[in-house]
Amino acid sequence: MLLAQPLRAADDAVTLNFVNADIDAVIRAVGEMTGRNFVLDPRVKGVVNIVSATPVPRALIYPTLLSALRLQGLAAIESGGVTKIVPEAEAKQQGMPVVTGPVGSAGGDRMVTAVYMLKYESATQLVNVLRPLITPNNAIAAVPTANALVITDYAENLKRIDRIIASLDVTPAGEPIVVPLHNASALDIVPMLTRLLADTGSGAGAAPDTQQRLTLVADARSNSVLIRGENAARLARVRALIEGLDTPGRAGGNISIIYLKNADAVRVARTLRALFTGGGDAGDVTPSTSLAPNAGGLAAGGMTTATATGPGATASAGAAPPSGNGAGFAASGVTIQADAANNALLVMASEPLYNNIRAIVDKLDVRRAQIYVEALVVEVSADKAAEFGIQWNILDANKLNNGATQVGGGTNFGTRGTGTNIIDAQANLGSVGQGLNLGIIRGTINIPGLGTITNLALLARALGSDANTNILSTPNLLTLDNEQASIIVAENVPFITGQYAQTGTTATVTPFQTIERKDVGLILRVKPQITEGGSVKLTIYEEVSRIEDTTNPAGIITNKRSLESTVMVDDGQIIVLGGLIQDSYTDSTNKVPLVGDVPVLGQLFRYDNRQRIKTNLMVFLKPTVVRTSSAGTALTGDRYDYLIGEQQRLAPGQRFFWPDQTEPRLPPITQPPAPVATPAAPLPGAK
């Protein structure tokens, strides 16, 4: 081993020539020339070759040593005025400078730990990119929570890492940009540009180029347009186009048309009028929380009446609001008119006011969900009755027929005309009521005032009846959210409310009657409202009625069961709204006093009649929220297929005398029924 002594050329320059010199000897010589203190790890071994043809500045002696040590797999760690020479693999565990961000002037072959805070790229993904560029003995790690990289390596290599990270950690090409508008409306600009730029850049029949695709969104609150795309040049062109359209409007050019997709233009105009005038709408109908016939809902006979808050505003519910004062207004510098035919709003306002109105209209013009309401009305009743009695009389037919005086008597129970009276049976045996009837007939007898009747000496009757009723009604209806709907399956029955008769000079009576028609049957009215949590608030009126008796002289007697309630139901949940459990027992006895109470023997002098009626009536309800067209199609298809199956099941069989085997059939649901052409009615006087 030959150690060449350093040759001094001048005070600030040194000529270094170390050929196959031991590392410890070289470090010792550098320490004498630079005044640094070195500490060598016992594992530091080897030789160094440093050759300089010309003198080098004294400031380059230490960096030259660091380069030589790096080639030997050694690193220098400066700490507390002492430079430690350790193997490169151990250097990352020693104290060394920590730099946040780019390394900058800290260059050379010094060991440095750098922390990079990333803004756009993922630190975890960059680790895989940068790891091959780091010295194998040094470290790189990602901090996902802070999106940062921690790298320990030579400063000279970290400078290259700085440039790589700076090139990668940039704003993504698809990052959205915001273009604020000062004159035009973002809600009008975006639909126009969307139609203009749709699938631009793709050839005929070719798939759209994703690099050319742009997404535009309007922000009504800030009146700005958000643009997102992959092509920066295309983004710049669209931005320039938007700025070119954002120009002040011409004088008198502040009239715009807003076409509505879901909401009703007349109703929206009324809402805006109440907003701008700060008061109620004179054309609105007074709301009613009751759906009963006498509380603002549907009246008898299917007619609807409602009371308005202003003069001349009475209208029938369900009819379109008038297109007069309720469809337009002018207030606070804004004029709005509703066009019911095109379902559009004509707005005349300044740009700031128009932008606010357009934002409000867009939030109101949304597709409302529908509610499919299934109701079950179940009535189960049992009617049991039993009667038993004995009636008798004692009359001597021979004495009465001969005109002699006769003393007779007997028992007589029941009301005349019901078929249980022995006197009626004597006059007409066919009037005996149903059941088991046993009697003793002793010929005929002539009674003054009654004529000749059957001499029925004894009539014993026994009757038991058992009637069960099971009625199930399943009314279903589909309605919009917060809209009242009704279904009526009933008979329209006339009820006499008054009458008047006039007698003329010829004694002719001219009657006059007033009649009110009422629906008797099944009536269901419901007004659903979907809450924020997805539950359904239901205001319900349900009525089940039927005709009980038509023979009453005072008029028709009806049996009515009604229910009115407001409930909160989860979507698809079945609840019971109410029920009627009625249990009645009747025990009537006709008997001869004292004698009828005698055990066993008293049965000959009494007539017993017992009856028990038990009725169970329950009403169930199941609302289902229909938010999409596919959900509505599924409900319709299920009921449609059911009816097709019922038609096929009830199809008539073939008969030899009936050659036409066709019957009405529903078409498949996949093929909507074709419209049936109805011939136009001829004009009056046409031939």
Side-chain angles (χ1 to χ4, degrees), residues 66-128:
L66 294 180
S67 299
L69 293 176
R70 180 179 178 182
L71 296 176
Q72 296 295 325
L74 302 174
I77 307 299
E78 300 175 6
S79 177
V82 177
T83 302
K84 296 181 288 185
I85 309 300
V86 296
E88 187 180 75
E90 303 292 334
K92 57 180 176 290
Q93 300 176 358
Q94 304 294 328
M96 63 182 65
V98 178
V99 179
T100 301
V103 176
S105 60
D109 294 315
R110 292 181 176 88
M111 294 289 289
V112 178
T113 298
V115 179
Y116 298 93
M117 305 299 297
L118 304 181
K119 297 181 180 179
Y120 306 105
E121 288 295 331
S122 171
T124 304
Q125 295 180 357
L126 279 184
V127 167
N128 299 327

Short mmCIF file of all heavy atoms in Angstrom, two decimals, residues 66-128:
data_model
loop_
_atom_site.label_atom_id
_atom_site.label_comp_id
_atom_site.label_asym_id
_atom_site.label_seq_id
_atom_site.Cartn_x
_atom_site.Cartn_y
_atom_site.Cartn_z
N LEU A 66 -16.17 12.68 0.87
CA LEU A 66 -17.49 12.08 0.94
C LEU A 66 -17.80 11.26 -0.31
O LEU A 66 -18.41 10.19 -0.23
CB LEU A 66 -18.55 13.17 1.12
CG LEU A 66 -18.52 13.97 2.44
CD1 LEU A 66 -19.62 15.00 2.47
CD2 LEU A 66 -18.61 13.03 3.65
N SER A 67 -17.36 11.76 -1.48
CA SER A 67 -17.59 11.00 -2.71
C SER A 67 -16.83 9.70 -2.69
O SER A 67 -17.33 8.65 -3.13
CB SER A 67 -17.19 11.85 -3.92
OG SER A 67 -17.96 13.03 -3.98
N ALA A 68 -15.58 9.76 -2.18
CA ALA A 68 -14.78 8.53 -2.11
C ALA A 68 -15.40 7.54 -1.14
O ALA A 68 -15.42 6.32 -1.39
CB ALA A 68 -13.35 8.88 -1.71
N LEU A 69 -15.91 8.03 0.02
CA LEU A 69 -16.52 7.13 0.99
C LEU A 69 -17.81 6.51 0.44
O LEU A 69 -18.12 5.35 0.71
CB LEU A 69 -16.83 7.90 2.28
CG LEU A 69 -15.61 8.39 3.08
CD1 LEU A 69 -16.05 9.21 4.27
CD2 LEU A 69 -14.73 7.21 3.53
N ARG A 70 -18.58 7.28 -0.36
CA ARG A 70 -19.82 6.75 -0.93
C ARG A 70 -19.54 5.59 -1.85
O ARG A 70 -20.31 4.61 -1.89
CB ARG A 70 -20.56 7.87 -1.67
CG ARG A 70 -21.86 7.42 -2.31
CD ARG A 70 -22.55 8.57 -3.01
NE ARG A 70 -23.79 8.13 -3.67
CZ ARG A 70 -24.58 8.90 -4.39
NH1 ARG A 70 -24.27 10.21 -4.54
NH2 ARG A 70 -25.66 8.42 -4.94
N LEU A 71 -18.40 5.71 -2.61
CA LEU A 71 -18.04 4.60 -3.50
C LEU A 71 -17.65 3.35 -2.73
O LEU A 71 -17.74 2.24 -3.26
CB LEU A 71 -16.90 5.03 -4.42
CG LEU A 71 -17.24 6.17 -5.40
CD1 LEU A 71 -15.99 6.56 -6.19
CD2 LEU A 71 -18.36 5.77 -6.34
N GLN A 72 -17.25 3.52 -1.49
CA GLN A 72 -16.88 2.37 -0.66
C GLN A 72 -18.04 1.86 0.18
O GLN A 72 -17.85 0.97 1.01
CB GLN A 72 -15.71 2.77 0.26
CG GLN A 72 -14.44 3.14 -0.49
CD GLN A 72 -13.86 1.95 -1.23
OE1 GLN A 72 -13.93 0.80 -0.77
NE2 GLN A 72 -13.26 2.20 -2.40
N GLY A 73 -19.26 2.46 0.01
CA GLY A 73 -20.41 2.02 0.79
C GLY A 73 -20.41 2.58 2.19
O GLY A 73 -20.99 1.97 3.10
N LEU A 74 -19.74 3.76 2.38
CA LEU A 74 -19.67 4.40 3.68
C LEU A 74 -20.34 5.75 3.60
O LEU A 74 -20.44 6.36 2.54
CB LEU A 74 -18.21 4.56 4.12
CG LEU A 74 -17.40 3.26 4.19
CD1 LEU A 74 -15.95 3.56 4.50
CD2 LEU A 74 -17.99 2.32 5.24
N ALA A 75 -20.81 6.23 4.76
CA ALA A 75 -21.48 7.51 4.82
C ALA A 75 -20.97 8.30 6.00
O ALA A 75 -20.57 7.72 7.03
CB ALA A 75 -23.00 7.33 4.94
N ALA A 76 -20.94 9.63 5.86
CA ALA A 76 -20.49 10.53 6.92
C ALA A 76 -21.69 11.22 7.54
O ALA A 76 -22.50 11.82 6.83
CB ALA A 76 -19.52 11.56 6.35
N ILE A 77 -21.83 11.14 8.88
CA ILE A 77 -22.93 11.75 9.61
C ILE A 77 -22.35 12.82 10.51
O ILE A 77 -21.51 12.54 11.38
CB ILE A 77 -23.69 10.70 10.45
CG1 ILE A 77 -24.12 9.52 9.57
CG2 ILE A 77 -24.87 11.34 11.13
CD1 ILE A 77 -25.03 9.90 8.45
N GLU A 78 -22.77 14.07 10.29
CA GLU A 78 -22.27 15.20 11.08
C GLU A 78 -23.23 15.44 12.23
O GLU A 78 -24.42 15.66 12.02
CB GLU A 78 -22.17 16.44 10.20
CG GLU A 78 -21.23 16.26 9.01
CD GLU A 78 -21.24 17.45 8.08
OE1 GLU A 78 -21.89 18.46 8.44
OE2 GLU A 78 -20.61 17.39 7.01
N SER A 79 -22.70 15.43 13.43
CA SER A 79 -23.52 15.61 14.62
C SER A 79 -22.67 16.16 15.75
O SER A 79 -21.67 15.53 16.13
CB SER A 79 -24.17 14.29 15.04
OG SER A 79 -24.90 14.44 16.23
N GLY A 80 -22.99 17.35 16.27
CA GLY A 80 -22.31 17.92 17.43
C GLY A 80 -20.84 18.23 17.18
O GLY A 80 -20.02 18.02 18.09
N GLY A 81 -20.46 18.66 15.98
CA GLY A 81 -19.07 18.99 15.68
C GLY A 81 -18.21 17.79 15.39
O GLY A 81 -16.99 17.93 15.21
N VAL A 82 -18.77 16.61 15.31
CA VAL A 82 -18.05 15.38 15.05
C VAL A 82 -18.66 14.73 13.82
O VAL A 82 -19.89 14.67 13.67
CB VAL A 82 -18.10 14.42 16.25
CG1 VAL A 82 -17.40 13.11 15.92
CG2 VAL A 82 -17.47 15.06 17.48
N THR A 83 -17.83 14.25 12.94
CA THR A 83 -18.28 13.54 11.74
C THR A 83 -18.04 12.05 11.95
O THR A 83 -16.89 11.62 12.09
CB THR A 83 -17.54 14.04 10.51
OG1 THR A 83 -17.75 15.45 10.37
CG2 THR A 83 -18.03 13.34 9.26
N LYS A 84 -19.15 11.29 11.93
CA LYS A 84 -19.05 9.84 12.13
C LYS A 84 -19.06 9.16 10.78
O LYS A 84 -19.91 9.46 9.94
CB LYS A 84 -20.21 9.35 12.99
CG LYS A 84 -20.21 9.90 14.41
CD LYS A 84 -21.37 9.36 15.22
CE LYS A 84 -22.69 9.96 14.76
NZ LYS A 84 -23.82 9.54 15.61
N ILE A 85 -18.11 8.25 10.62
CA ILE A 85 -18.02 7.45 9.39
C ILE A 85 -18.56 6.07 9.72
O ILE A 85 -17.97 5.32 10.51
CB ILE A 85 -16.58 7.38 8.86
CG1 ILE A 85 -15.96 8.77 8.74
CG2 ILE A 85 -16.55 6.67 7.53
CD1 ILE A 85 -16.70 9.70 7.82
N VAL A 86 -19.71 5.73 9.11
CA VAL A 86 -20.37 4.47 9.41
C VAL A 86 -20.74 3.81 8.09
O VAL A 86 -20.79 4.46 7.03
CB VAL A 86 -21.64 4.69 10.26
CG1 VAL A 86 -21.28 5.27 11.63
CG2 VAL A 86 -22.63 5.59 9.53
N PRO A 87 -21.05 2.50 8.10
CA PRO A 87 -21.54 1.85 6.88
C PRO A 87 -22.85 2.51 6.41
O PRO A 87 -23.65 2.99 7.21
CB PRO A 87 -21.76 0.40 7.31
CG PRO A 87 -20.83 0.20 8.47
CD PRO A 87 -20.78 1.50 9.18
N GLU A 88 -23.05 2.50 5.13
CA GLU A 88 -24.21 3.17 4.54
C GLU A 88 -25.53 2.61 5.07
O GLU A 88 -26.50 3.35 5.27
CB GLU A 88 -24.14 3.02 3.02
CG GLU A 88 -25.19 3.81 2.27
CD GLU A 88 -25.05 3.61 0.77
OE1 GLU A 88 -25.44 2.52 0.31
OE2 GLU A 88 -24.55 4.52 0.09
N ALA A 89 -25.58 1.31 5.34
CA ALA A 89 -26.82 0.69 5.81
C ALA A 89 -27.20 1.16 7.21
O ALA A 89 -28.37 1.11 7.59
CB ALA A 89 -26.69 -0.83 5.79
N GLU A 90 -26.22 1.63 7.99
CA GLU A 90 -26.49 2.09 9.35
C GLU A 90 -26.74 3.58 9.40
O GLU A 90 -27.13 4.11 10.44
CB GLU A 90 -25.31 1.74 10.26
CG GLU A 90 -24.96 0.27 10.31
CD GLU A 90 -26.03 -0.55 10.99
OE1 GLU A 90 -26.77 0.02 11.82
OE2 GLU A 90 -26.16 -1.75 10.70
N ALA A 91 -26.53 4.31 8.31
CA ALA A 91 -26.58 5.77 8.35
C ALA A 91 -27.99 6.28 8.63
O ALA A 91 -28.17 7.29 9.32
CB ALA A 91 -26.07 6.34 7.02
N LYS A 92 -29.02 5.59 8.13
CA LYS A 92 -30.38 6.10 8.30
C LYS A 92 -30.85 6.05 9.73
O LYS A 92 -31.86 6.67 10.09
CB LYS A 92 -31.35 5.30 7.42
CG LYS A 92 -31.37 3.82 7.65
CD LYS A 92 -32.37 3.15 6.72
CE LYS A 92 -32.35 1.64 6.83
NZ LYS A 92 -31.09 1.10 6.27
N GLN A 93 -30.14 5.33 10.60
CA GLN A 93 -30.49 5.26 12.01
C GLN A 93 -29.71 6.25 12.85
O GLN A 93 -29.87 6.28 14.07
CB GLN A 93 -30.27 3.84 12.53
CG GLN A 93 -31.10 2.79 11.79
CD GLN A 93 -30.81 1.38 12.25
OE1 GLN A 93 -29.94 1.19 13.12
NE2 GLN A 93 -31.51 0.40 11.69
N GLN A 94 -28.84 7.03 12.22
CA GLN A 94 -28.04 8.02 12.92
C GLN A 94 -28.69 9.40 12.77
O GLN A 94 -29.55 9.61 11.92
CB GLN A 94 -26.62 8.04 12.35
CG GLN A 94 -25.91 6.70 12.39
CD GLN A 94 -25.65 6.22 13.81
OE1 GLN A 94 -25.43 7.02 14.72
NE2 GLN A 94 -25.66 4.90 14.00
N GLY A 95 -28.28 10.32 13.62
CA GLY A 95 -28.79 11.67 13.53
C GLY A 95 -28.26 12.37 12.30
O GLY A 95 -27.04 12.40 12.06
N MET A 96 -29.14 12.93 11.48
CA MET A 96 -28.75 13.62 10.26
C MET A 96 -29.73 14.77 10.02
O MET A 96 -30.81 14.82 10.62
CB MET A 96 -28.74 12.66 9.07
CG MET A 96 -30.10 12.07 8.73
SD MET A 96 -30.02 10.92 7.36
CE MET A 96 -29.00 9.63 8.07
N PRO A 97 -29.41 15.71 9.15
CA PRO A 97 -30.31 16.84 8.90
C PRO A 97 -31.64 16.38 8.32
O PRO A 97 -31.70 15.43 7.54
CB PRO A 97 -29.52 17.69 7.90
CG PRO A 97 -28.11 17.29 8.09
CD PRO A 97 -28.12 15.85 8.46
N VAL A 98 -32.72 17.07 8.71
CA VAL A 98 -34.07 16.80 8.21
C VAL A 98 -34.54 18.04 7.46
O VAL A 98 -34.52 19.15 8.01
CB VAL A 98 -35.04 16.45 9.34
CG1 VAL A 98 -36.45 16.23 8.79
CG2 VAL A 98 -34.57 15.21 10.09
N VAL A 99 -34.95 17.85 6.22
CA VAL A 99 -35.38 18.95 5.36
C VAL A 99 -36.84 18.71 4.98
O VAL A 99 -37.22 17.58 4.63
CB VAL A 99 -34.50 19.05 4.10
CG1 VAL A 99 -34.98 20.18 3.21
CG2 VAL A 99 -33.05 19.24 4.49
N THR A 100 -37.67 19.76 5.06
CA THR A 100 -39.07 19.68 4.63
C THR A 100 -39.18 20.30 3.26
O THR A 100 -38.90 21.49 3.08
CB THR A 100 -39.99 20.40 5.61
OG1 THR A 100 -39.84 19.81 6.91
CG2 THR A 100 -41.44 20.29 5.17
N GLY A 101 -39.58 19.50 2.29
CA GLY A 101 -39.70 20.00 0.94
C GLY A 101 -38.42 19.76 0.16
O GLY A 101 -37.61 18.87 0.49
N PRO A 102 -38.18 20.53 -0.89
CA PRO A 102 -36.99 20.33 -1.73
C PRO A 102 -35.70 20.50 -0.93
O PRO A 102 -35.60 21.31 0.00
CB PRO A 102 -37.12 21.40 -2.80
CG PRO A 102 -38.59 21.73 -2.83
CD PRO A 102 -39.07 21.56 -1.45
N VAL A 103 -34.65 19.73 -1.32
CA VAL A 103 -33.36 19.77 -0.61
C VAL A 103 -32.66 21.10 -0.83
O VAL A 103 -32.03 21.67 0.07
CB VAL A 103 -32.47 18.59 -1.08
CG1 VAL A 103 -31.10 18.67 -0.45
CG2 VAL A 103 -33.16 17.28 -0.73
N GLY A 104 -32.76 21.68 -2.01
CA GLY A 104 -32.17 22.99 -2.29
C GLY A 104 -30.67 22.94 -2.36
O GLY A 104 -30.07 22.10 -3.04
N SER A 105 -29.99 23.85 -1.61
CA SER A 105 -28.53 23.95 -1.67
C SER A 105 -27.82 22.86 -0.91
O SER A 105 -26.60 22.70 -1.04
CB SER A 105 -28.10 25.32 -1.12
OG SER A 105 -28.53 25.46 0.24
N ALA A 106 -28.53 22.11 -0.10
CA ALA A 106 -27.89 21.03 0.66
C ALA A 106 -27.60 19.88 -0.29
O ALA A 106 -28.34 18.92 -0.39
CB ALA A 106 -28.79 20.59 1.80
N GLY A 107 -26.47 20.00 -1.05
CA GLY A 107 -26.17 19.01 -2.08
C GLY A 107 -25.03 18.12 -1.70
O GLY A 107 -24.69 17.93 -0.53
N GLY A 108 -24.41 17.55 -2.71
CA GLY A 108 -23.27 16.68 -2.48
C GLY A 108 -23.69 15.30 -2.06
O GLY A 108 -24.81 14.85 -2.28
N ASP A 109 -22.71 14.63 -1.42
CA ASP A 109 -22.92 13.25 -1.00
C ASP A 109 -23.21 13.14 0.49
O ASP A 109 -22.90 12.13 1.12
CB ASP A 109 -21.69 12.42 -1.37
CG ASP A 109 -21.52 12.30 -2.87
OD1 ASP A 109 -22.54 12.03 -3.53
OD2 ASP A 109 -20.41 12.48 -3.37
N ARG A 110 -23.80 14.20 1.07
CA ARG A 110 -24.22 14.13 2.46
C ARG A 110 -25.53 13.34 2.56
O ARG A 110 -26.36 13.38 1.67
CB ARG A 110 -24.43 15.53 3.03
CG ARG A 110 -23.15 16.35 3.17
CD ARG A 110 -23.48 17.71 3.77
NE ARG A 110 -22.29 18.50 4.02
CZ ARG A 110 -21.72 19.29 3.14
NH1 ARG A 110 -22.25 19.42 1.93
NH2 ARG A 110 -20.63 19.97 3.44
N MET A 111 -25.72 12.65 3.68
CA MET A 111 -26.96 11.93 3.95
C MET A 111 -27.98 12.91 4.54
O MET A 111 -27.69 13.62 5.51
CB MET A 111 -26.73 10.77 4.91
CG MET A 111 -25.85 9.68 4.32
SD MET A 111 -26.69 8.73 3.03
CE MET A 111 -27.84 7.83 4.00
N VAL A 112 -29.20 12.96 3.93
CA VAL A 112 -30.24 13.88 4.35
C VAL A 112 -31.57 13.12 4.40
O VAL A 112 -31.83 12.26 3.55
CB VAL A 112 -30.35 15.09 3.39
CG1 VAL A 112 -31.48 16.02 3.82
CG2 VAL A 112 -29.04 15.84 3.34
N THR A 113 -32.41 13.47 5.37
CA THR A 113 -33.79 12.97 5.43
C THR A 113 -34.72 14.09 4.99
O THR A 113 -34.73 15.17 5.61
CB THR A 113 -34.15 12.49 6.84
OG1 THR A 113 -33.29 11.40 7.20
CG2 THR A 113 -35.61 12.02 6.89
N ALA A 114 -35.50 13.86 3.95
CA ALA A 114 -36.40 14.86 3.39
C ALA A 114 -37.85 14.41 3.56
O ALA A 114 -38.17 13.23 3.38
CB ALA A 114 -36.10 15.11 1.92
N VAL A 115 -38.70 15.39 3.93
CA VAL A 115 -40.14 15.14 4.09
C VAL A 115 -40.88 15.93 3.01
O VAL A 115 -40.73 17.15 2.92
CB VAL A 115 -40.64 15.55 5.48
CG1 VAL A 115 -42.15 15.30 5.61
CG2 VAL A 115 -39.88 14.82 6.57
N TYR A 116 -41.67 15.23 2.19
CA TYR A 116 -42.41 15.85 1.08
C TYR A 116 -43.91 15.78 1.39
O TYR A 116 -44.47 14.68 1.51
CB TYR A 116 -42.12 15.14 -0.24
CG TYR A 116 -40.67 15.20 -0.67
CD1 TYR A 116 -39.78 14.19 -0.32
CD2 TYR A 116 -40.20 16.27 -1.41
CE1 TYR A 116 -38.45 14.25 -0.71
CE2 TYR A 116 -38.87 16.34 -1.81
CZ TYR A 116 -38.00 15.32 -1.45
OH TYR A 116 -36.69 15.39 -1.83
N MET A 117 -44.55 16.93 1.50
CA MET A 117 -46.00 17.01 1.70
C MET A 117 -46.67 17.12 0.33
O MET A 117 -46.50 18.12 -0.38
CB MET A 117 -46.37 18.22 2.57
CG MET A 117 -45.65 18.24 3.92
SD MET A 117 -46.02 16.81 4.95
CE MET A 117 -47.76 17.04 5.21
N LEU A 118 -47.39 16.10 -0.07
CA LEU A 118 -48.01 16.06 -1.38
C LEU A 118 -49.38 16.75 -1.35
O LEU A 118 -50.10 16.71 -0.35
CB LEU A 118 -48.17 14.62 -1.85
CG LEU A 118 -46.88 13.79 -1.89
CD1 LEU A 118 -47.18 12.39 -2.38
CD2 LEU A 118 -45.83 14.46 -2.74
N LYS A 119 -49.75 17.37 -2.46
CA LYS A 119 -51.01 18.10 -2.57
C LYS A 119 -52.05 17.34 -3.39
O LYS A 119 -53.24 17.39 -3.09
CB LYS A 119 -50.77 19.47 -3.18
CG LYS A 119 -49.88 20.38 -2.36
CD LYS A 119 -49.72 21.73 -3.05
CE LYS A 119 -48.82 22.66 -2.24
NZ LYS A 119 -48.64 23.97 -2.91
N TYR A 120 -51.63 16.69 -4.44
CA TYR A 120 -52.58 16.10 -5.38
C TYR A 120 -52.42 14.59 -5.49
O TYR A 120 -53.40 13.86 -5.45
CB TYR A 120 -52.43 16.74 -6.76
CG TYR A 120 -52.54 18.25 -6.74
CD1 TYR A 120 -51.41 19.06 -6.86
CD2 TYR A 120 -53.77 18.86 -6.58
CE1 TYR A 120 -51.51 20.44 -6.84
CE2 TYR A 120 -53.88 20.25 -6.54
CZ TYR A 120 -52.74 21.03 -6.67
OH TYR A 120 -52.84 22.39 -6.64
N GLU A 121 -51.18 14.12 -5.66
CA GLU A 121 -50.96 12.69 -5.85
C GLU A 121 -51.00 11.95 -4.52
O GLU A 121 -50.85 12.54 -3.45
CB GLU A 121 -49.61 12.45 -6.54
CG GLU A 121 -49.61 12.83 -8.00
CD GLU A 121 -50.54 11.97 -8.83
OE1 GLU A 121 -50.76 10.81 -8.46
OE2 GLU A 121 -51.08 12.49 -9.83
N SER A 122 -51.20 10.62 -4.62
CA SER A 122 -51.23 9.79 -3.43
C SER A 122 -49.82 9.37 -3.04
O SER A 122 -49.04 8.90 -3.89
CB SER A 122 -52.09 8.55 -3.69
OG SER A 122 -51.98 7.63 -2.64
N ALA A 123 -49.47 9.56 -1.77
CA ALA A 123 -48.14 9.20 -1.30
C ALA A 123 -47.91 7.69 -1.42
O ALA A 123 -46.80 7.25 -1.76
CB ALA A 123 -47.97 9.64 0.15
N THR A 124 -48.93 6.92 -1.17
CA THR A 124 -48.78 5.46 -1.26
C THR A 124 -48.46 5.01 -2.68
O THR A 124 -47.63 4.10 -2.88
CB THR A 124 -50.07 4.78 -0.77
OG1 THR A 124 -50.37 5.24 0.55
CG2 THR A 124 -49.91 3.27 -0.74
N GLN A 125 -49.08 5.65 -3.66
CA GLN A 125 -48.80 5.28 -5.04
C GLN A 125 -47.42 5.76 -5.50
O GLN A 125 -46.75 5.09 -6.29
CB GLN A 125 -49.89 5.85 -5.95
CG GLN A 125 -51.26 5.25 -5.70
CD GLN A 125 -52.32 5.85 -6.62
OE1 GLN A 125 -52.03 6.74 -7.40
NE2 GLN A 125 -53.55 5.36 -6.49
N LEU A 126 -46.97 6.89 -5.00
CA LEU A 126 -45.65 7.39 -5.39
C LEU A 126 -44.51 6.55 -4.81
O LEU A 126 -43.41 6.56 -5.35
CB LEU A 126 -45.49 8.84 -4.96
CG LEU A 126 -46.12 9.89 -5.88
CD1 LEU A 126 -45.79 11.28 -5.38
CD2 LEU A 126 -45.65 9.73 -7.31
N VAL A 127 -44.73 5.86 -3.70
CA VAL A 127 -43.67 5.01 -3.13
C VAL A 127 -43.22 3.97 -4.14
O VAL A 127 -42.01 3.73 -4.32
CB VAL A 127 -44.17 4.35 -1.83
CG1 VAL A 127 -43.22 3.23 -1.40
CG2 VAL A 127 -44.27 5.39 -0.73
N ASN A 128 -44.17 3.36 -4.85
CA ASN A 128 -43.81 2.34 -5.84
C ASN A 128 -43.05 2.93 -7.02
O ASN A 128 -42.25 2.24 -7.66
CB ASN A 128 -45.08 1.64 -6.34
CG ASN A 128 -45.83 0.94 -5.24
OD1 ASN A 128 -45.22 0.44 -4.29
ND2 ASN A 128 -47.16 0.91 -5.32
#
